[in-house]
Each structure stands twice: as structure tokens, then as C-alpha cells.
Amino acid sequence: MIQLTDLAIGQLLSAYRRGVTTPREVLAQVRARGTVYTGRNIWIYQLSDAELEPYLKELAGQSPDPTADNYKPLYGVPFAIKDNIDLAAVPTTAACPAFAYTPAHSAAVVAQLVAAGAIPVGKTNLDQFATGLVGTRSPWGAVGNSFNERYISGGSSSGSAVAVALGLVSFALGTDTAGSGRVPAAFNNLIGLKPSKGLLSTRGVVPACRSLDTVSIFALSAGDASQVLANCNDFDGEDIYARVSPGSARAFNISQFRFGIPRPEQRAFFGNYEGRALFEQSIANLQALGGEAVEIDYDVFRQAAHLLYEGPWLSERYIAVETLIKNNPEALLPITLDIIAAGEQGSAVDAFKAEYQLAELRRRAESVWQGIDVLLLPTAGGCYRIDEVNNDPLQLNTNLGYYTNFVNLLDLCAVAVPAGFQQNGLPFGISLIAPTFTEHALLALAARLHRRSTISAGATQLPLTTDNELAPLPAGWIRVAVCGAHLSGLPLNSQLTERGGWLLESTLTAPVYKLYALPGGPPKKPGLIRVSEGGQAIEVEIWAMPLSGYGSFVAGIPAPLGIGTLELCNSTTVQGFLCESVIVDTAEDITRYGGWRAYLASL
């Protein structure tokens, strides 16, 4: 049996396609690897061999090959589930034994992932009833940081994050109401995606604040997170808070964008001076990627953050466990009971007053978004030791929510991104935040920033892989490769942006093309031709475009240019500009420049 060390989704699927390993062998390795960490309090429940068998049998006759009729996009990919999300026939505890029940059906998001071929391996530890950002509030014990067990893992999705960071699963599901899917990602060197409210179904999820809850995704890379998202975001009409993404209306150009940062006096690091320096480096990294930094007044976001635990939304947490509190309050941890029980005191008058205040803050936030495309914040100012949190549990937890608590209240989406390491060996993370339903643009930008900030994946000591960055786009979108006047900043680029297109990445074709400068203009244009010999790799940009605008875009392309299938340097293919070979006799061969920009610079 081949020992597979890298569970990144792209690597794993490639190993399956090459016949290097099988899902059964991978699960055996996953279970063996997990025994090394039995004292880390990661799991509340792990599936036995007998419980895993039906999932393995379901994969019989299925394939990881995208060209096969029986293709499963997450074929044999192991994943973990936070134990406030239902998995059929396995107890759901929300980290409270007295609350436990055994569901007959999996949560909608879990069922979608299983249908895509993914295999659940267990339920992970969490702050009880998802109330906390620390990862220490569980009768199953505190989950230590994957880099140093003396430090907190972050919560409430603590076990899910650590399971991914240590390479025990390929990805994990968490939940995120106040930052529970982002803070653990930051503390464990992971991508943590908090999608827009309602994009992923919360049916089958134990509520925290039902009107605000989101299912989150932990992954080693933005490409992996995108792959998971694409396979669990079907609209669920049985979820009363489910929403359909508007698609092309939500995007921004990730090569030319404005990002907001708090004024210096509004940046809180709670004594973590290295965090301040790493945040400054993240600002510089985004500027190097084409971003323009814009200082904003963070006060509107800070005020919204205070509402989450100081306003009537705490009553939603009370509703979720009201029966248990009334009949068996000692079943809850004292700190969890103290926090949630306070929600009983809210009145309808308080609720309406808070809703009016939130509506005012949303309107003020709209004016901020008119000047920026994305907000850059530390995910948390710093990470604490477990003993420090035990000595001051409320204030330190409050500190951790300074940059996260407002996001769901203001109906935004966010991606936590690794941003380097501190001298004590712990990772530091930042968050990219944008208006609702921009998660695909955020993930594309996160992939670029992640590569620039760190080269490691989780705590695995394995290099960050980029094989899977061209993960599926949302339904109704297509990738288009451009090589000339449609490149960013050139005369025809607006034909992409005005149709809602956004840049995914700059890359190279396979070394089988020649590039020619066509006669005529303005603007001057190139022609890309595939050749059997004498070709080389040519610089291109890959853009995402909504199908609603693709037809008019293609209709406006003049001969001898057209759209065909291009092969990229990583052997994948996309739609892109090609040219008829008849132009060879009248056009200038500029292949030696390697791309249109280099040719223009030579003129």
C-alpha cells in the first residue's frame, strides 16, 4: 500500500486517477494517522470500519475521472463534520451529552457532499453549542492548537480546524455565526470560508443564532475550499433561510481592486506586536497583487460587532437550548449557561430597537462599500494560551471577536487566509471580507494572497499545492483565456468587466502555440495559433464570465479571431482566443516575446 501523506483534494484525486491508491486504503491510513493524536480532543465520534463500509460500497462503480459518466467530483475524499451538524445514524451532541440525539438523516450540506463522493470520517469537538471563539468550552476537553498544544485552537469549530491542519482529513465543515469558521482557520494556518448567509443550507444544523448561522469550510487551500463549495451549495427550499446566489451581479476584478483597512488607531492587536507587523505585510502583499489600500472608518463595523452579544440576538441562542436550560441547566458548562441564559431577559422592544440600530449601521456600511471592493482585516489580533483563556474566559473571547462578530449581522461573506508566522511558531491570519455572494471572487483573491504569504499547508509541513486552483465556478459561469487587447488594463478589457467578468489568474499556455501581431488597428491585436512544432508557452489571463454575457462577447469577436479550446501549462483546458492560420503570411511572428505585454513593451 502506498503511504499517502498529502490529503489536499487535487493531490488525492490525482492519486486515485493514477491508480496509486484507493479510497479504502486512504481511509485505513486516515484512521491509523488519527491514533497518533488521540490525546488532542479533536473528535467526539469517529466512524468505525463497519460504519464506513456503506460509504465505500457506494463508491463502487463510480469514478474520479471527470470524463466518465459515473464521475464523482469528491470521489473518496475524507472529511470531518463539526458535531452540531447532523450525520445520519451518528449522534449529534453540540458538545453537550445531555442534549445528544441520533438523526435519521444527514444535514442537507452533508448529504450533498456524500452524493459527490466525499466520505465522512467523524464528528469533531467544539465549544459547547457553538458559543465561543476559543475551543476550550467542551466536556470533551480543550482542543489544543495544531502547532503548539499550550495555545488555543480557536473556536467554536476547534476540532474541525485541527483535523484539517494535522492532515487527518482533506477538509472539514464548521459553522460560523460570530467567527467560528475563521478564527480557528487563522490559528491553524488554514483557509476558512464563511459563505454568504443562506448559500449553504443550515437544515440539519443545531442553531446558535438561526437567522445568522452559516456552515463554514476549512481547507488547506482556497482551491480546495472552492471545490467543496461547488459541491454543497444547491438551493434548499426546505431551509427557510436559504437564498439563491444572484451570480454575475456579485464580482470584482481581483487584479485591480480597492481594499479597505482600518485607520491605524482602530487596529487592535491586544499586545501582539508581531501581529501588527504581519498585518502591515499583508497590506503590502495585496498592493503587490494590484490592490489599492483605502483607509476606512472601522467604527461602523465595530458597533455592529457589539450587537451580536450585547443585543437581542443572544435570545436566539437561548431559543435553541431553552428546554434544556429550563429542565436540566446543570447539563451545560457554567460559562456556556451564563452566556446563553442571559438571552431570556430580552424583550420585543429591545429586539426592535436593536433592529433599527442595525439597519442604520447597514446603511452607513453601504457608504463604505461604495469606496472599496474588499475589506482587509486581521482575523484575530493574537492567539492566547489555554491557561490564559481559562483565567479570563470572557474578555479574551471578546477580544477574538473584534474583527469577526459583525460579518453575518451586516450580511457579508469572508475568507480567512494564512498570512505568515510569528517567532513563537504560531501562524497569523487575515480575513478578506466583501458583500454577500462574492465568495468566488474572494476565494480567487485568497489563492493569490495565500501563495504570496506562506508556502506551507496547515501544520502538515507539506508545501502549499496549487493543482486545484481552477476549481469549479458557480453554475452559469465560464472560464475564458485572453492573450491580447483584453488583458487587464488594455483597451478591450472593459468588454470583460462590463459583463461582470473578473480575473482568476495569470498563467501560461502549454508550449504548443505561436503568437502573431496582426495588421490593422487600433487597437493592435495578436493572434494565437496552435502548431505542431516550434511553439512555446504564451502568457494568458484566465477570466470568469457569466454565461449571460458570454454570447454577446463572442458575437463581437472579428475574424480571423475566434474562440476555441486552449491547453494550459498544467494540462487543463479552457475556452480562449485562437486565430485562423491564414494570417501567418501577413502577420509578424512575435512568439519570442512570450506574450502580448512583452511585445508591446518592445515597441
mmCIF file of all heavy atoms in Angstrom, residues 8 13 47 66 76-77 106 118 140 178 192 210 251-252 277 311 314 320 322 377 380 387 392 404 453 552 554 558:
data_model
loop_
_atom_site.group_PDB
_atom_site.id
_atom_site.type_symbol
_atom_site.label_atom_id
_atom_site.label_comp_id
_atom_site.label_asym_id
_atom_site.label_seq_id
_atom_site.Cartn_x
_atom_site.Cartn_y
_atom_site.Cartn_z
ATOM 1 N N ALA A 8 -4.486 16.929 0.320
ATOM 2 C CA ALA A 8 -5.065 18.010 -0.470
ATOM 3 C C ALA A 8 -5.919 17.393 -1.576
ATOM 4 O O ALA A 8 -5.553 16.370 -2.174
ATOM 5 C CB ALA A 8 -3.966 18.878 -1.075
ATOM 6 N N LEU A 13 -7.223 13.207 -5.534
ATOM 7 C CA LEU A 13 -7.952 12.774 -6.729
ATOM 8 C C LEU A 13 -6.994 12.325 -7.832
ATOM 9 O O LEU A 13 -7.272 11.369 -8.558
ATOM 10 C CB LEU A 13 -8.850 13.902 -7.230
ATOM 11 C CG LEU A 13 -10.031 14.270 -6.312
ATOM 12 C CD1 LEU A 13 -10.788 15.472 -6.881
ATOM 13 C CD2 LEU A 13 -10.976 13.093 -6.144
ATOM 14 N N LEU A 47 -16.143 7.290 13.038
ATOM 15 C CA LEU A 47 -16.851 6.160 12.454
ATOM 16 C C LEU A 47 -15.971 4.914 12.483
ATOM 17 O O LEU A 47 -14.761 4.985 12.217
ATOM 18 C CB LEU A 47 -17.272 6.465 11.018
ATOM 19 C CG LEU A 47 -18.617 7.195 10.849
ATOM 20 C CD1 LEU A 47 -18.537 8.622 11.381
ATOM 21 C CD2 LEU A 47 -19.042 7.208 9.387
ATOM 22 N N PRO A 66 -13.095 13.047 -14.541
ATOM 23 C CA PRO A 66 -14.129 13.995 -14.970
ATOM 24 C C PRO A 66 -14.772 13.638 -16.302
ATOM 25 O O PRO A 66 -15.888 14.112 -16.592
ATOM 26 C CB PRO A 66 -13.375 15.329 -15.069
ATOM 27 C CG PRO A 66 -12.173 15.158 -14.218
ATOM 28 C CD PRO A 66 -11.802 13.715 -14.323
ATOM 29 N N GLY A 76 -14.007 9.656 -2.895
ATOM 30 C CA GLY A 76 -13.104 9.133 -1.874
ATOM 31 C C GLY A 76 -12.386 10.175 -1.043
ATOM 32 O O GLY A 76 -11.386 9.856 -0.391
ATOM 33 N N VAL A 77 -12.888 11.408 -1.010
ATOM 34 C CA VAL A 77 -12.223 12.474 -0.253
ATOM 35 C C VAL A 77 -12.735 12.447 1.193
ATOM 36 O O VAL A 77 -13.929 12.638 1.440
ATOM 37 C CB VAL A 77 -12.493 13.848 -0.886
ATOM 38 C CG1 VAL A 77 -11.891 14.959 -0.026
ATOM 39 C CG2 VAL A 77 -11.917 13.902 -2.298
ATOM 40 N N SER A 106 -28.874 12.897 7.298
ATOM 41 C CA SER A 106 -27.773 13.852 7.371
ATOM 42 C C SER A 106 -28.271 15.255 7.066
ATOM 43 O O SER A 106 -29.284 15.444 6.383
ATOM 44 C CB SER A 106 -26.677 13.479 6.376
ATOM 45 O OG SER A 106 -26.052 12.268 6.721
ATOM 46 N N ALA A 118 -17.678 12.306 -1.348
ATOM 47 C CA ALA A 118 -16.870 12.501 -0.144
ATOM 48 C C ALA A 118 -17.290 11.513 0.946
ATOM 49 O O ALA A 118 -18.434 11.062 0.987
ATOM 50 C CB ALA A 118 -17.009 13.935 0.351
ATOM 51 N N TRP A 140 -15.550 17.419 26.406
ATOM 52 C CA TRP A 140 -14.569 16.501 25.811
ATOM 53 C C TRP A 140 -13.148 17.055 25.924
ATOM 54 O O TRP A 140 -12.209 16.441 25.466
ATOM 55 C CB TRP A 140 -14.915 16.222 24.351
ATOM 56 C CG TRP A 140 -15.918 15.137 24.183
ATOM 57 C CD1 TRP A 140 -15.672 13.810 23.960
ATOM 58 C CD2 TRP A 140 -17.344 15.257 24.243
ATOM 59 N NE1 TRP A 140 -16.849 13.101 23.877
ATOM 60 C CE2 TRP A 140 -17.898 13.963 24.037
ATOM 61 C CE3 TRP A 140 -18.227 16.319 24.446
ATOM 62 C CZ2 TRP A 140 -19.263 13.719 24.036
ATOM 63 C CZ3 TRP A 140 -19.591 16.076 24.452
ATOM 64 C CH2 TRP A 140 -20.104 14.792 24.244
ATOM 65 N N ALA A 178 -20.255 34.000 14.600
ATOM 66 C CA ALA A 178 -19.520 35.162 15.094
ATOM 67 C C ALA A 178 -18.038 35.141 14.706
ATOM 68 O O ALA A 178 -17.298 36.042 15.074
ATOM 69 C CB ALA A 178 -19.630 35.224 16.614
ATOM 70 N N GLY A 192 -10.290 29.461 5.724
ATOM 71 C CA GLY A 192 -11.588 29.300 6.375
ATOM 72 C C GLY A 192 -12.629 30.124 5.644
ATOM 73 O O GLY A 192 -12.596 31.352 5.695
ATOM 74 N N ARG A 210 -30.168 31.291 14.705
ATOM 75 C CA ARG A 210 -30.653 30.674 13.473
ATOM 76 C C ARG A 210 -30.700 31.650 12.296
ATOM 77 O O ARG A 210 -30.444 31.264 11.153
ATOM 78 C CB ARG A 210 -32.039 30.070 13.698
ATOM 79 C CG ARG A 210 -32.506 29.216 12.522
ATOM 80 C CD ARG A 210 -33.848 28.583 12.781
ATOM 81 N NE ARG A 210 -34.278 27.775 11.635
ATOM 82 C CZ ARG A 210 -35.487 27.256 11.516
ATOM 83 N NH1 ARG A 210 -36.394 27.440 12.461
ATOM 84 N NH2 ARG A 210 -35.798 26.548 10.450
ATOM 85 N N ALA A 251 -19.332 40.351 -8.220
ATOM 86 C CA ALA A 251 -17.949 40.050 -8.562
ATOM 87 C C ALA A 251 -17.141 41.326 -8.517
ATOM 88 O O ALA A 251 -17.679 42.432 -8.546
ATOM 89 C CB ALA A 251 -17.855 39.402 -9.942
ATOM 90 N N PHE A 252 -15.815 41.178 -8.441
ATOM 91 C CA PHE A 252 -14.926 42.324 -8.591
ATOM 92 C C PHE A 252 -13.642 41.824 -9.223
ATOM 93 O O PHE A 252 -13.331 40.634 -9.188
ATOM 94 C CB PHE A 252 -14.662 43.029 -7.249
ATOM 95 C CG PHE A 252 -14.023 42.152 -6.199
ATOM 96 C CD1 PHE A 252 -12.644 42.062 -6.088
ATOM 97 C CD2 PHE A 252 -14.814 41.438 -5.300
ATOM 98 C CE1 PHE A 252 -12.058 41.268 -5.116
ATOM 99 C CE2 PHE A 252 -14.239 40.634 -4.318
ATOM 100 C CZ PHE A 252 -12.865 40.548 -4.236
ATOM 101 N N ALA A 277 2.839 43.789 12.689
ATOM 102 C CA ALA A 277 3.804 43.780 11.585
ATOM 103 C C ALA A 277 3.342 42.860 10.452
ATOM 104 O O ALA A 277 3.487 43.194 9.270
ATOM 105 C CB ALA A 277 5.174 43.339 12.092
ATOM 106 N N GLY A 311 -26.796 42.582 22.215
ATOM 107 C CA GLY A 311 -28.142 42.857 21.751
ATOM 108 C C GLY A 311 -29.035 41.630 21.843
ATOM 109 O O GLY A 311 -28.650 40.596 22.397
ATOM 110 N N LEU A 314 -28.689 37.434 21.249
ATOM 111 C CA LEU A 314 -28.377 36.431 22.257
ATOM 112 C C LEU A 314 -29.612 35.588 22.577
ATOM 113 O O LEU A 314 -29.498 34.409 22.956
ATOM 114 C CB LEU A 314 -27.859 37.114 23.528
ATOM 115 C CG LEU A 314 -27.232 36.228 24.607
ATOM 116 C CD1 LEU A 314 -26.057 35.438 24.040
ATOM 117 C CD2 LEU A 314 -26.781 37.081 25.785
ATOM 118 N N ALA A 320 -32.551 28.150 21.114
ATOM 119 C CA ALA A 320 -32.026 26.864 20.625
ATOM 120 C C ALA A 320 -31.918 25.823 21.737
ATOM 121 O O ALA A 320 -32.037 24.620 21.475
ATOM 122 C CB ALA A 320 -30.666 27.076 19.962
ATOM 123 N N GLU A 322 -33.530 26.279 24.976
ATOM 124 C CA GLU A 322 -34.451 26.707 26.033
ATOM 125 C C GLU A 322 -34.929 25.536 26.886
ATOM 126 O O GLU A 322 -34.929 25.607 28.128
ATOM 127 C CB GLU A 322 -35.644 27.426 25.407
ATOM 128 C CG GLU A 322 -36.683 27.889 26.414
ATOM 129 C CD GLU A 322 -37.847 28.609 25.743
ATOM 130 O OE1 GLU A 322 -37.958 28.528 24.488
ATOM 131 O OE2 GLU A 322 -38.631 29.249 26.456
ATOM 132 N N LEU A 377 -8.767 42.696 7.041
ATOM 133 C CA LEU A 377 -8.658 42.802 8.495
ATOM 134 C C LEU A 377 -7.820 41.644 9.030
ATOM 135 O O LEU A 377 -7.770 40.573 8.413
ATOM 136 C CB LEU A 377 -10.042 42.713 9.151
ATOM 137 C CG LEU A 377 -11.071 43.792 8.814
ATOM 138 C CD1 LEU A 377 -12.399 43.441 9.474
ATOM 139 C CD2 LEU A 377 -10.601 45.161 9.254
ATOM 140 N N ALA A 380 -7.856 37.711 13.806
ATOM 141 C CA ALA A 380 -7.838 37.968 15.252
ATOM 142 C C ALA A 380 -6.530 38.674 15.566
ATOM 143 O O ALA A 380 -5.515 38.447 14.898
ATOM 144 C CB ALA A 380 -7.960 36.673 16.051
ATOM 145 N N ASP A 387 -4.244 28.365 29.313
ATOM 146 C CA ASP A 387 -4.354 28.790 30.703
ATOM 147 C C ASP A 387 -4.750 30.254 30.808
ATOM 148 O O ASP A 387 -5.471 30.646 31.749
ATOM 149 C CB ASP A 387 -3.045 28.507 31.456
ATOM 150 C CG ASP A 387 -1.883 29.347 30.940
ATOM 151 O OD1 ASP A 387 -1.625 29.322 29.725
ATOM 152 O OD2 ASP A 387 -1.219 30.009 31.769
ATOM 153 N N ASP A 392 -9.276 34.138 32.200
ATOM 154 C CA ASP A 392 -10.064 35.317 31.811
ATOM 155 C C ASP A 392 -10.910 34.970 30.594
ATOM 156 O O ASP A 392 -10.706 35.490 29.495
ATOM 157 C CB ASP A 392 -9.127 36.485 31.504
ATOM 158 C CG ASP A 392 -9.856 37.816 31.375
ATOM 159 O OD1 ASP A 392 -11.094 37.842 31.568
ATOM 160 O OD2 ASP A 392 -9.199 38.831 31.072
ATOM 161 N N THR A 404 -14.501 39.934 13.773
ATOM 162 C CA THR A 404 -15.336 38.896 13.143
ATOM 163 C C THR A 404 -16.824 39.014 13.425
ATOM 164 O O THR A 404 -17.645 38.589 12.613
ATOM 165 C CB THR A 404 -14.885 37.487 13.595
ATOM 166 O OG1 THR A 404 -15.056 37.372 15.014
ATOM 167 C CG2 THR A 404 -13.435 37.215 13.226
ATOM 168 N N SER A 453 1.926 34.788 0.792
ATOM 169 C CA SER A 453 2.146 34.957 2.229
ATOM 170 C C SER A 453 2.858 33.784 2.886
ATOM 171 O O SER A 453 3.615 33.967 3.839
ATOM 172 C CB SER A 453 0.804 35.180 2.925
ATOM 173 O OG SER A 453 0.136 36.311 2.403
ATOM 174 N N SER A 552 -22.927 37.531 -26.232
ATOM 175 C CA SER A 552 -22.696 38.821 -26.881
ATOM 176 C C SER A 552 -21.209 39.117 -27.000
ATOM 177 O O SER A 552 -20.766 39.768 -27.958
ATOM 178 C CB SER A 552 -23.395 39.934 -26.089
ATOM 179 O OG SER A 552 -22.856 40.044 -24.774
ATOM 180 N N VAL A 554 -18.761 36.824 -27.467
ATOM 181 C CA VAL A 554 -18.235 36.029 -28.588
ATOM 182 C C VAL A 554 -18.725 36.590 -29.924
ATOM 183 O O VAL A 554 -17.980 36.635 -30.909
ATOM 184 C CB VAL A 554 -18.649 34.556 -28.430
ATOM 185 C CG1 VAL A 554 -18.271 33.751 -29.659
ATOM 186 C CG2 VAL A 554 -18.002 33.950 -27.185
ATOM 187 N N PRO A 558 -14.122 39.779 -34.090
ATOM 188 C CA PRO A 558 -13.991 39.832 -35.553
ATOM 189 C C PRO A 558 -13.034 38.767 -36.093
ATOM 190 O O PRO A 558 -12.097 38.344 -35.408
ATOM 191 C CB PRO A 558 -13.415 41.229 -35.783
ATOM 192 C CG PRO A 558 -12.586 41.494 -34.558
ATOM 193 C CD PRO A 558 -13.300 40.822 -33.424
#
